[in-house]
Amino acid sequence: MTASEIISDLGNYKFEILRRDTSGTGELHQNWADVFIVQGGEATIAYGGQIEEARDTGDGETRGPQLVGGKSQTVTAGGVW
């Protein structure tokens, strides 16, 4: 399950609540950075490497089905990454 809700959009800053119960896709953002605050459970965040079958989705974002050759970090409840 994936669900999200934008709770505030202040132009240069956007705050969004996101829940993922499955893996996401590879993403690259040219115009913003993500900050993750883990409220419960644990997750593995993958970063670096290359996005497989990368495609421009507009607004400075590139997506693809997965990340290849990156690193990973496990995060748990209370963690900020």
Side-chain angles (χ1 to χ4, degrees):
M1 176 179 140
T2 298
S4 67
E5 178 182 350
I6 295 173
I7 57 175
S8 183
D9 189 343
L10 306 172
N12 289 337
Y13 302 95
K14 184 187 327 183
F15 299 90
E16 180 176 10
I17 295 174
L18 176 68
R19 177 185 174 136
R20 278 193 181 146
D21 292 332
T22 61
S23 294
T25 61
E27 300 178 16
L28 172 64
H29 305 137
Q30 296 295 325
N31 302 320
W32 70 89
D34 290 324
V35 176
F36 298 94
I37 301 170
V38 182
Q39 291 185 303
E42 75 174 35
T44 301
I45 297 175
Y47 61 96
Q50 299 292 317
I51 298 174
E52 184 178 75
E53 299 175 30
R55 66 187 186 290
D56 184 352
T57 60
D59 290 332
E61 182 176 60
T62 302
R63 286 184 179 243
Q66 68 180 357
L67 193 62
V68 178
K71 298 179 180 181
S72 63
Q73 175 71 43
T74 300
V75 292
T76 58
V80 177
W81 202 84

